[in-house]
Amino acid sequence: MAKCEVCNKGVRTGHRISITRSQVSRRANRMWRPNVKKIQIRETNGNVRRAKICTACIRSNKVTRAI
């Protein structure tokens, strides 16, 4: 599965809960997947490589994009 190389954000698992008459009647397994993009980044030594980075890390400038 996809995982962010900066913050290690990965797949989270849990239950989808169906509620009727204020009681938990059914539970179905589900997964929450991170929004991971494959982008080119520039490392500290100047090398350019592809990496899987989540959009939260891209927006917060934790990596520098090589364009």
Side-chain angles (χ1 to χ4, degrees):
M1 286 286 167
K3 185 180 265 195
C4 178
E5 294 182 20
V6 176
C7 64
N8 286 330
K9 185 186 290 184
V11 176
R12 301 288 307 241
T13 59
H15 296 289
R16 179 182 295 121
I17 297 176
S18 171
I19 299 175
T20 57
R21 295 191 189 141
S22 73
Q23 294 177 349
V24 175
S25 58
R26 297 219 163 117
R27 291 182 183 181
N29 294 331
R30 75 157 288 187
M31 293 195 308
W32 285 269
R33 293 183 177 89
N35 191 3
V36 175
K37 305 293 183 188
K38 196 171 195 180
I39 64 169
Q40 285 186 340
I41 63 170
R42 186 173 306 278
E43 295 178 335
T44 56
N45 58 4
N47 292 341
V48 175
R49 69 178 181 95
R50 287 196 181 272
K52 293 179 182 175
I53 308 293
C54 69
T55 54
C57 291
I58 295 171
R59 285 195 313 267
S60 63
N61 291 325
K62 291 186 180 179
V63 294
T64 55
R65 293 186 76 159
I67 298 173

Short mmCIF file of all heavy atoms in Angstrom, two decimals:
data_model
loop_
_atom_site.label_atom_id
_atom_site.label_comp_id
_atom_site.label_asym_id
_atom_site.label_seq_id
_atom_site.Cartn_x
_atom_site.Cartn_y
_atom_site.Cartn_z
N MET A 1 0.83 -1.19 0.00
CA MET A 1 0.00 0.00 0.00
C MET A 1 0.88 1.25 0.00
O MET A 1 2.04 1.21 0.39
CB MET A 1 -0.88 0.02 1.25
CG MET A 1 -2.00 -0.95 1.23
SD MET A 1 -3.23 -0.34 0.11
CE MET A 1 -4.23 -1.78 -0.04
N ALA A 2 0.28 2.35 -0.41
CA ALA A 2 1.02 3.60 -0.50
C ALA A 2 1.27 4.16 0.90
O ALA A 2 0.42 4.10 1.78
CB ALA A 2 0.22 4.60 -1.32
N LYS A 3 2.48 4.69 1.07
CA LYS A 3 2.86 5.28 2.34
C LYS A 3 3.72 6.49 2.06
O LYS A 3 4.58 6.46 1.18
CB LYS A 3 3.63 4.26 3.18
CG LYS A 3 3.96 4.74 4.57
CD LYS A 3 4.70 3.70 5.33
CE LYS A 3 3.73 2.89 6.16
NZ LYS A 3 4.39 2.10 7.17
N CYS A 4 3.51 7.57 2.80
CA CYS A 4 4.29 8.78 2.63
C CYS A 4 5.70 8.55 3.14
O CYS A 4 5.89 8.01 4.24
CB CYS A 4 3.64 9.94 3.38
SG CYS A 4 4.56 11.49 3.27
N GLU A 5 6.71 8.96 2.36
CA GLU A 5 8.09 8.74 2.75
C GLU A 5 8.58 9.78 3.75
O GLU A 5 9.62 9.59 4.36
CB GLU A 5 8.99 8.76 1.51
CG GLU A 5 8.72 7.61 0.58
CD GLU A 5 9.63 7.61 -0.63
OE1 GLU A 5 10.69 8.25 -0.58
OE2 GLU A 5 9.28 6.94 -1.61
N VAL A 6 7.83 10.86 3.96
CA VAL A 6 8.24 11.90 4.90
C VAL A 6 7.64 11.65 6.28
O VAL A 6 8.35 11.57 7.28
CB VAL A 6 7.81 13.30 4.38
CG1 VAL A 6 8.14 14.38 5.40
CG2 VAL A 6 8.51 13.58 3.07
N CYS A 7 6.32 11.48 6.35
CA CYS A 7 5.66 11.36 7.66
C CYS A 7 5.18 9.95 7.96
O CYS A 7 4.57 9.72 9.01
CB CYS A 7 4.49 12.33 7.74
SG CYS A 7 3.18 12.00 6.54
N ASN A 8 5.42 8.99 7.06
CA ASN A 8 5.01 7.59 7.23
C ASN A 8 3.51 7.43 7.39
O ASN A 8 3.04 6.49 8.03
CB ASN A 8 5.73 6.92 8.40
CG ASN A 8 7.16 6.62 8.06
OD1 ASN A 8 7.49 6.37 6.91
ND2 ASN A 8 8.01 6.66 9.05
N LYS A 9 2.73 8.34 6.81
CA LYS A 9 1.28 8.22 6.86
C LYS A 9 0.88 7.06 5.96
O LYS A 9 1.28 7.01 4.80
CB LYS A 9 0.62 9.50 6.39
CG LYS A 9 -0.89 9.51 6.53
CD LYS A 9 -1.48 10.75 5.92
CE LYS A 9 -1.15 11.95 6.75
NZ LYS A 9 -1.80 13.17 6.22
N GLY A 10 0.11 6.14 6.48
CA GLY A 10 -0.29 4.96 5.72
C GLY A 10 -1.77 4.69 5.84
O GLY A 10 -2.55 5.56 6.24
N VAL A 11 -2.16 3.49 5.54
CA VAL A 11 -3.56 3.09 5.57
C VAL A 11 -4.01 2.92 7.00
O VAL A 11 -3.30 2.33 7.83
CB VAL A 11 -3.75 1.79 4.78
CG1 VAL A 11 -5.17 1.30 4.88
CG2 VAL A 11 -3.38 1.98 3.34
N ARG A 12 -5.18 3.45 7.32
CA ARG A 12 -5.79 3.26 8.64
C ARG A 12 -7.03 2.39 8.47
O ARG A 12 -7.75 2.53 7.48
CB ARG A 12 -6.23 4.61 9.25
CG ARG A 12 -5.13 5.62 9.42
CD ARG A 12 -4.20 5.26 10.56
NE ARG A 12 -4.91 5.03 11.77
CZ ARG A 12 -4.76 5.72 12.89
NH1 ARG A 12 -3.90 6.69 12.94
NH2 ARG A 12 -5.45 5.43 13.96
N THR A 13 -7.26 1.50 9.41
CA THR A 13 -8.42 0.62 9.31
C THR A 13 -9.38 0.92 10.44
O THR A 13 -9.01 1.46 11.48
CB THR A 13 -8.00 -0.86 9.38
OG1 THR A 13 -7.31 -1.08 10.61
CG2 THR A 13 -7.11 -1.21 8.22
N GLY A 14 -10.63 0.58 10.21
CA GLY A 14 -11.66 0.79 11.21
C GLY A 14 -12.96 0.16 10.76
O GLY A 14 -12.96 -0.77 9.96
N HIS A 15 -14.07 0.68 11.28
CA HIS A 15 -15.39 0.14 10.97
C HIS A 15 -16.27 1.23 10.39
O HIS A 15 -16.26 2.36 10.85
CB HIS A 15 -16.08 -0.41 12.23
CG HIS A 15 -15.37 -1.56 12.84
ND1 HIS A 15 -15.34 -2.80 12.27
CD2 HIS A 15 -14.65 -1.66 13.97
CE1 HIS A 15 -14.66 -3.62 13.03
NE2 HIS A 15 -14.21 -2.95 14.07
N ARG A 16 -17.05 0.86 9.38
CA ARG A 16 -18.14 1.70 8.90
C ARG A 16 -19.34 1.28 9.72
O ARG A 16 -19.72 0.11 9.71
CB ARG A 16 -18.38 1.46 7.42
CG ARG A 16 -19.50 2.28 6.86
CD ARG A 16 -19.74 1.99 5.40
NE ARG A 16 -18.59 2.39 4.60
CZ ARG A 16 -17.89 1.57 3.83
NH1 ARG A 16 -18.19 0.29 3.76
NH2 ARG A 16 -16.88 2.01 3.12
N ILE A 17 -19.94 2.20 10.44
CA ILE A 17 -21.00 1.86 11.38
C ILE A 17 -22.34 2.32 10.83
O ILE A 17 -22.50 3.48 10.44
CB ILE A 17 -20.74 2.50 12.76
CG1 ILE A 17 -19.45 1.94 13.34
CG2 ILE A 17 -21.90 2.27 13.70
CD1 ILE A 17 -19.05 2.56 14.65
N SER A 18 -23.29 1.41 10.80
CA SER A 18 -24.66 1.72 10.40
C SER A 18 -25.49 1.89 11.66
O SER A 18 -25.57 0.99 12.49
CB SER A 18 -25.21 0.57 9.56
OG SER A 18 -26.58 0.77 9.33
N ILE A 19 -26.07 3.07 11.83
CA ILE A 19 -26.80 3.37 13.06
C ILE A 19 -28.29 3.49 12.75
O ILE A 19 -28.70 4.26 11.89
CB ILE A 19 -26.30 4.68 13.69
CG1 ILE A 19 -24.83 4.56 14.04
CG2 ILE A 19 -27.11 5.04 14.91
CD1 ILE A 19 -24.21 5.83 14.56
N THR A 20 -29.09 2.68 13.46
CA THR A 20 -30.54 2.77 13.36
C THR A 20 -31.12 2.78 14.76
O THR A 20 -30.74 1.99 15.62
CB THR A 20 -31.13 1.58 12.58
OG1 THR A 20 -30.74 0.38 13.21
CG2 THR A 20 -30.63 1.57 11.15
N ARG A 21 -32.02 3.69 15.02
CA ARG A 21 -32.69 3.82 16.32
C ARG A 21 -31.70 3.98 17.47
O ARG A 21 -31.83 3.34 18.51
CB ARG A 21 -33.61 2.65 16.58
CG ARG A 21 -34.76 2.59 15.62
CD ARG A 21 -35.77 1.57 16.07
NE ARG A 21 -36.74 1.39 15.03
CZ ARG A 21 -37.25 0.23 14.71
NH1 ARG A 21 -36.89 -0.85 15.34
NH2 ARG A 21 -38.15 0.15 13.76
N SER A 22 -30.68 4.77 17.25
CA SER A 22 -29.64 5.11 18.23
C SER A 22 -28.92 3.89 18.78
O SER A 22 -28.48 3.87 19.91
CB SER A 22 -30.22 5.93 19.39
OG SER A 22 -31.01 5.12 20.23
N GLN A 23 -28.84 2.85 18.00
CA GLN A 23 -28.07 1.67 18.39
C GLN A 23 -27.13 1.30 17.25
O GLN A 23 -27.48 1.47 16.08
CB GLN A 23 -28.98 0.48 18.69
CG GLN A 23 -29.85 0.68 19.90
CD GLN A 23 -30.77 -0.51 20.10
OE1 GLN A 23 -30.89 -1.35 19.23
NE2 GLN A 23 -31.42 -0.55 21.24
N VAL A 24 -25.98 0.78 17.60
CA VAL A 24 -25.06 0.31 16.57
C VAL A 24 -25.54 -1.07 16.16
O VAL A 24 -25.51 -2.02 16.94
CB VAL A 24 -23.62 0.25 17.11
CG1 VAL A 24 -22.71 -0.35 16.09
CG2 VAL A 24 -23.17 1.63 17.51
N SER A 25 -26.03 -1.18 14.94
CA SER A 25 -26.60 -2.45 14.51
C SER A 25 -25.64 -3.26 13.66
O SER A 25 -25.58 -4.47 13.77
CB SER A 25 -27.89 -2.20 13.73
OG SER A 25 -27.63 -1.38 12.62
N ARG A 26 -24.85 -2.57 12.80
CA ARG A 26 -23.97 -3.31 11.91
C ARG A 26 -22.63 -2.62 11.84
O ARG A 26 -22.54 -1.40 11.93
CB ARG A 26 -24.56 -3.35 10.50
CG ARG A 26 -25.86 -4.09 10.46
CD ARG A 26 -25.91 -4.92 9.20
NE ARG A 26 -26.95 -5.91 9.36
CZ ARG A 26 -28.02 -5.97 8.62
NH1 ARG A 26 -28.21 -5.10 7.67
NH2 ARG A 26 -28.91 -6.92 8.81
N ARG A 27 -21.60 -3.42 11.67
CA ARG A 27 -20.26 -2.88 11.47
C ARG A 27 -19.64 -3.56 10.26
O ARG A 27 -19.69 -4.77 10.16
CB ARG A 27 -19.37 -3.13 12.68
CG ARG A 27 -19.78 -2.33 13.87
CD ARG A 27 -18.85 -2.57 15.00
NE ARG A 27 -19.34 -1.83 16.17
CZ ARG A 27 -18.76 -1.81 17.32
NH1 ARG A 27 -17.66 -2.49 17.51
NH2 ARG A 27 -19.25 -1.10 18.30
N ALA A 28 -19.09 -2.76 9.39
CA ALA A 28 -18.41 -3.28 8.21
C ALA A 28 -16.99 -2.73 8.20
O ALA A 28 -16.76 -1.57 8.54
CB ALA A 28 -19.15 -2.88 6.93
N ASN A 29 -16.05 -3.57 7.85
CA ASN A 29 -14.67 -3.13 7.82
C ASN A 29 -14.46 -2.14 6.67
O ASN A 29 -15.06 -2.27 5.61
CB ASN A 29 -13.73 -4.32 7.62
CG ASN A 29 -13.77 -5.25 8.79
OD1 ASN A 29 -14.02 -4.83 9.91
ND2 ASN A 29 -13.51 -6.52 8.55
N ARG A 30 -13.59 -1.16 6.90
CA ARG A 30 -13.24 -0.22 5.85
C ARG A 30 -11.83 0.27 6.07
O ARG A 30 -11.26 0.08 7.14
CB ARG A 30 -14.21 0.94 5.74
CG ARG A 30 -14.08 1.97 6.82
CD ARG A 30 -14.63 3.31 6.41
NE ARG A 30 -13.77 3.94 5.41
CZ ARG A 30 -13.94 5.16 4.98
NH1 ARG A 30 -14.93 5.89 5.42
NH2 ARG A 30 -13.14 5.69 4.08
N MET A 31 -11.26 0.91 5.03
CA MET A 31 -9.91 1.45 5.12
C MET A 31 -9.93 2.91 4.70
O MET A 31 -10.64 3.28 3.77
CB MET A 31 -8.95 0.67 4.22
CG MET A 31 -8.71 -0.73 4.68
SD MET A 31 -7.30 -1.55 3.93
CE MET A 31 -7.56 -1.33 2.21
N TRP A 32 -9.16 3.74 5.40
CA TRP A 32 -8.94 5.13 5.03
C TRP A 32 -7.55 5.20 4.43
O TRP A 32 -6.56 4.91 5.09
CB TRP A 32 -9.03 6.04 6.25
CG TRP A 32 -10.41 6.28 6.73
CD1 TRP A 32 -11.25 7.28 6.35
CD2 TRP A 32 -11.13 5.50 7.69
NE1 TRP A 32 -12.44 7.18 7.02
CE2 TRP A 32 -12.39 6.09 7.86
CE3 TRP A 32 -10.83 4.36 8.44
CZ2 TRP A 32 -13.34 5.58 8.71
CZ3 TRP A 32 -11.78 3.86 9.29
CH2 TRP A 32 -13.01 4.47 9.43
N ARG A 33 -7.48 5.60 3.16
CA ARG A 33 -6.20 5.66 2.47
C ARG A 33 -5.70 7.10 2.40
O ARG A 33 -6.50 8.02 2.20
CB ARG A 33 -6.35 5.09 1.06
CG ARG A 33 -6.63 3.62 1.06
CD ARG A 33 -6.70 3.07 -0.36
NE ARG A 33 -6.90 1.64 -0.35
CZ ARG A 33 -8.09 1.05 -0.33
NH1 ARG A 33 -9.18 1.79 -0.32
NH2 ARG A 33 -8.19 -0.25 -0.33
N PRO A 34 -4.40 7.31 2.54
CA PRO A 34 -3.87 8.67 2.45
C PRO A 34 -3.84 9.15 1.00
O PRO A 34 -3.78 8.34 0.07
CB PRO A 34 -2.45 8.53 3.01
CG PRO A 34 -2.08 7.14 2.71
CD PRO A 34 -3.34 6.33 2.83
N ASN A 35 -3.85 10.45 0.84
CA ASN A 35 -3.79 11.05 -0.49
C ASN A 35 -2.31 11.21 -0.85
O ASN A 35 -1.70 12.24 -0.58
CB ASN A 35 -4.51 12.40 -0.49
CG ASN A 35 -4.72 12.93 -1.87
OD1 ASN A 35 -4.38 12.28 -2.85
ND2 ASN A 35 -5.25 14.13 -1.95
N VAL A 36 -1.73 10.17 -1.45
CA VAL A 36 -0.31 10.11 -1.74
C VAL A 36 -0.09 10.34 -3.23
O VAL A 36 -0.75 9.73 -4.06
CB VAL A 36 0.28 8.76 -1.31
CG1 VAL A 36 1.73 8.64 -1.70
CG2 VAL A 36 0.14 8.59 0.19
N LYS A 37 0.85 11.24 -3.55
CA LYS A 37 1.20 11.54 -4.93
C LYS A 37 2.64 11.13 -5.17
O LYS A 37 3.48 11.19 -4.28
CB LYS A 37 1.07 13.03 -5.22
CG LYS A 37 -0.28 13.61 -4.91
CD LYS A 37 -1.33 13.07 -5.83
CE LYS A 37 -2.67 13.74 -5.52
NZ LYS A 37 -3.74 13.14 -6.26
N LYS A 38 2.94 10.74 -6.41
CA LYS A 38 4.31 10.40 -6.78
C LYS A 38 4.90 11.62 -7.49
O LYS A 38 4.50 11.95 -8.61
CB LYS A 38 4.31 9.18 -7.70
CG LYS A 38 5.64 8.52 -7.85
CD LYS A 38 5.51 7.23 -8.60
CE LYS A 38 6.74 6.39 -8.44
NZ LYS A 38 6.63 5.13 -9.16
N ILE A 39 5.83 12.31 -6.82
CA ILE A 39 6.38 13.54 -7.35
C ILE A 39 7.90 13.46 -7.38
O ILE A 39 8.50 12.59 -6.74
CB ILE A 39 5.95 14.78 -6.53
CG1 ILE A 39 6.49 14.69 -5.11
CG2 ILE A 39 4.45 14.94 -6.53
CD1 ILE A 39 6.34 15.96 -4.32
N GLN A 40 8.51 14.39 -8.11
CA GLN A 40 9.96 14.49 -8.11
C GLN A 40 10.37 15.47 -7.03
O GLN A 40 9.84 16.58 -6.96
CB GLN A 40 10.48 14.98 -9.46
CG GLN A 40 10.44 13.94 -10.53
CD GLN A 40 11.09 14.43 -11.80
OE1 GLN A 40 11.25 15.62 -12.00
NE2 GLN A 40 11.47 13.50 -12.66
N ILE A 41 11.31 15.05 -6.16
CA ILE A 41 11.78 15.92 -5.09
C ILE A 41 13.28 16.12 -5.24
O ILE A 41 13.98 15.33 -5.86
CB ILE A 41 11.46 15.33 -3.70
CG1 ILE A 41 12.17 14.01 -3.48
CG2 ILE A 41 9.97 15.19 -3.50
CD1 ILE A 41 12.11 13.51 -2.06
N ARG A 42 13.75 17.22 -4.66
CA ARG A 42 15.17 17.51 -4.65
C ARG A 42 15.68 17.25 -3.23
O ARG A 42 15.16 17.80 -2.26
CB ARG A 42 15.42 18.96 -5.04
CG ARG A 42 16.90 19.29 -5.19
CD ARG A 42 17.11 20.69 -5.74
NE ARG A 42 16.40 20.93 -6.99
CZ ARG A 42 16.86 20.57 -8.19
NH1 ARG A 42 17.99 19.93 -8.30
NH2 ARG A 42 16.16 20.85 -9.27
N GLU A 43 16.68 16.38 -3.12
CA GLU A 43 17.25 16.04 -1.82
C GLU A 43 18.21 17.12 -1.37
O GLU A 43 18.53 18.05 -2.12
CB GLU A 43 17.96 14.69 -1.91
CG GLU A 43 17.01 13.54 -2.19
CD GLU A 43 17.73 12.22 -2.33
OE1 GLU A 43 18.91 12.23 -2.68
OE2 GLU A 43 17.09 11.19 -2.07
N THR A 44 18.71 16.99 -0.14
CA THR A 44 19.59 18.01 0.42
C THR A 44 20.92 18.08 -0.31
O THR A 44 21.54 19.14 -0.39
CB THR A 44 19.85 17.73 1.91
OG1 THR A 44 20.38 16.40 2.04
CG2 THR A 44 18.58 17.85 2.71
N ASN A 45 21.37 16.96 -0.88
CA ASN A 45 22.64 16.97 -1.61
C ASN A 45 22.48 17.38 -3.07
O ASN A 45 23.44 17.39 -3.82
CB ASN A 45 23.33 15.60 -1.52
CG ASN A 45 22.47 14.49 -2.07
OD1 ASN A 45 21.39 14.72 -2.58
ND2 ASN A 45 22.95 13.27 -1.94
N GLY A 46 21.26 17.71 -3.49
CA GLY A 46 21.02 18.20 -4.84
C GLY A 46 20.50 17.16 -5.82
O GLY A 46 20.18 17.50 -6.96
N ASN A 47 20.46 15.92 -5.43
CA ASN A 47 19.96 14.87 -6.31
C ASN A 47 18.44 14.98 -6.47
O ASN A 47 17.74 15.39 -5.55
CB ASN A 47 20.31 13.49 -5.78
CG ASN A 47 21.79 13.22 -5.84
OD1 ASN A 47 22.52 13.87 -6.57
ND2 ASN A 47 22.24 12.25 -5.07
N VAL A 48 17.95 14.57 -7.64
CA VAL A 48 16.52 14.57 -7.91
C VAL A 48 16.07 13.12 -8.00
O VAL A 48 16.70 12.30 -8.65
CB VAL A 48 16.21 15.30 -9.24
CG1 VAL A 48 14.75 15.19 -9.58
CG2 VAL A 48 16.63 16.75 -9.13
N ARG A 49 14.98 12.81 -7.30
CA ARG A 49 14.44 11.45 -7.35
C ARG A 49 12.93 11.50 -7.20
O ARG A 49 12.36 12.50 -6.75
CB ARG A 49 15.05 10.58 -6.26
CG ARG A 49 14.64 10.94 -4.86
CD ARG A 49 15.25 9.98 -3.85
NE ARG A 49 14.84 10.32 -2.50
CZ ARG A 49 13.81 9.75 -1.87
NH1 ARG A 49 13.12 8.81 -2.46
NH2 ARG A 49 13.50 10.11 -0.65
N ARG A 50 12.28 10.40 -7.57
CA ARG A 50 10.83 10.28 -7.40
C ARG A 50 10.53 9.73 -6.02
O ARG A 50 11.24 8.85 -5.53
CB ARG A 50 10.25 9.34 -8.45
CG ARG A 50 10.19 9.94 -9.81
CD ARG A 50 9.26 9.13 -10.69
NE ARG A 50 9.21 9.68 -12.02
CZ ARG A 50 8.36 10.63 -12.39
NH1 ARG A 50 7.51 11.11 -11.52
NH2 ARG A 50 8.37 11.09 -13.62
N ALA A 51 9.47 10.24 -5.41
CA ALA A 51 9.09 9.79 -4.08
C ALA A 51 7.58 9.87 -3.95
O ALA A 51 6.92 10.68 -4.61
CB ALA A 51 9.75 10.63 -3.00
N LYS A 52 7.02 9.04 -3.08
CA LYS A 52 5.60 9.07 -2.76
C LYS A 52 5.42 9.96 -1.53
O LYS A 52 5.87 9.63 -0.44
CB LYS A 52 5.07 7.68 -2.48
CG LYS A 52 5.08 6.79 -3.70
CD LYS A 52 4.57 5.41 -3.36
CE LYS A 52 4.62 4.52 -4.58
NZ LYS A 52 4.23 3.15 -4.26
N ILE A 53 4.75 11.10 -1.73
CA ILE A 53 4.58 12.10 -0.67
C ILE A 53 3.10 12.41 -0.55
O ILE A 53 2.40 12.58 -1.56
CB ILE A 53 5.36 13.39 -1.01
CG1 ILE A 53 6.81 13.10 -1.36
CG2 ILE A 53 5.28 14.38 0.13
CD1 ILE A 53 7.64 12.58 -0.24
N CYS A 54 2.60 12.52 0.69
CA CYS A 54 1.19 12.86 0.89
C CYS A 54 1.00 14.36 0.63
O CYS A 54 1.93 15.16 0.70
CB CYS A 54 0.73 12.48 2.29
SG CYS A 54 1.43 13.43 3.62
N THR A 55 -0.22 14.73 0.31
CA THR A 55 -0.50 16.11 -0.06
C THR A 55 -0.34 17.06 1.11
O THR A 55 -0.06 18.24 0.92
CB THR A 55 -1.91 16.24 -0.65
OG1 THR A 55 -2.85 15.69 0.27
CG2 THR A 55 -2.02 15.51 -1.96
N ALA A 56 -0.50 16.58 2.34
CA ALA A 56 -0.29 17.44 3.50
C ALA A 56 1.17 17.85 3.61
O ALA A 56 1.48 19.00 3.94
CB ALA A 56 -0.73 16.71 4.77
N CYS A 57 2.09 16.94 3.32
CA CYS A 57 3.52 17.27 3.34
C CYS A 57 3.90 18.17 2.17
O CYS A 57 4.78 19.02 2.31
CB CYS A 57 4.37 16.00 3.33
SG CYS A 57 4.26 15.04 4.83
N ILE A 58 3.25 18.01 1.03
CA ILE A 58 3.53 18.88 -0.11
C ILE A 58 3.08 20.30 0.19
O ILE A 58 3.81 21.26 -0.06
CB ILE A 58 2.83 18.34 -1.38
CG1 ILE A 58 3.43 16.99 -1.79
CG2 ILE A 58 2.96 19.33 -2.53
CD1 ILE A 58 2.66 16.30 -2.89
N ARG A 59 1.89 20.45 0.76
CA ARG A 59 1.36 21.78 1.06
C ARG A 59 2.15 22.49 2.15
O ARG A 59 2.26 23.71 2.15
CB ARG A 59 -0.11 21.68 1.49
CG ARG A 59 -1.05 21.43 0.35
CD ARG A 59 -2.49 21.69 0.76
NE ARG A 59 -2.85 21.10 2.02
CZ ARG A 59 -3.41 19.91 2.19
NH1 ARG A 59 -3.68 19.17 1.14
NH2 ARG A 59 -3.72 19.47 3.39
N SER A 60 2.69 21.74 3.12
CA SER A 60 3.41 22.36 4.24
C SER A 60 4.89 22.56 3.94
O SER A 60 5.65 22.91 4.83
CB SER A 60 3.24 21.52 5.50
OG SER A 60 3.82 20.25 5.30
N ASN A 61 5.31 22.32 2.69
CA ASN A 61 6.69 22.53 2.24
C ASN A 61 7.71 21.72 3.05
O ASN A 61 8.79 22.21 3.34
CB ASN A 61 7.05 24.01 2.26
CG ASN A 61 6.30 24.78 1.21
OD1 ASN A 61 6.04 24.27 0.14
ND2 ASN A 61 5.92 26.01 1.53
N LYS A 62 7.38 20.50 3.37
CA LYS A 62 8.34 19.62 4.04
C LYS A 62 9.34 19.06 3.05
O LYS A 62 10.38 18.56 3.45
CB LYS A 62 7.62 18.49 4.77
CG LYS A 62 6.83 18.97 5.96
CD LYS A 62 6.25 17.82 6.73
CE LYS A 62 5.46 18.32 7.92
NZ LYS A 62 4.87 17.22 8.68
N VAL A 63 9.02 19.12 1.75
CA VAL A 63 9.94 18.69 0.70
C VAL A 63 10.01 19.81 -0.34
O VAL A 63 9.11 20.62 -0.46
CB VAL A 63 9.48 17.38 0.02
CG1 VAL A 63 9.54 16.22 0.97
CG2 VAL A 63 8.09 17.52 -0.56
N THR A 64 11.10 19.82 -1.09
CA THR A 64 11.22 20.79 -2.18
C THR A 64 11.04 20.03 -3.48
O THR A 64 11.70 19.03 -3.73
CB THR A 64 12.59 21.49 -2.17
OG1 THR A 64 13.60 20.49 -2.19
CG2 THR A 64 12.75 22.34 -0.93
N ARG A 65 10.11 20.52 -4.29
CA ARG A 65 9.82 19.86 -5.56
C ARG A 65 10.85 20.25 -6.60
O ARG A 65 11.31 21.38 -6.65
CB ARG A 65 8.44 20.25 -6.05
CG ARG A 65 7.33 19.72 -5.17
CD ARG A 65 6.00 20.01 -5.76
NE ARG A 65 5.75 19.10 -6.88
CZ ARG A 65 4.56 18.82 -7.36
NH1 ARG A 65 3.51 19.39 -6.86
NH2 ARG A 65 4.42 17.98 -8.37
N ALA A 66 11.23 19.28 -7.40
CA ALA A 66 12.12 19.53 -8.53
C ALA A 66 11.25 19.63 -9.77
O ALA A 66 10.62 18.66 -10.18
CB ALA A 66 13.12 18.41 -8.67
N ILE A 67 11.19 20.80 -10.35
CA ILE A 67 10.31 21.02 -11.50
C ILE A 67 11.13 21.11 -12.76
O ILE A 67 12.21 21.57 -12.80
CB ILE A 67 9.46 22.29 -11.31
CG1 ILE A 67 8.59 22.11 -10.09
CG2 ILE A 67 8.62 22.56 -12.53
CD1 ILE A 67 7.82 23.33 -9.70
#
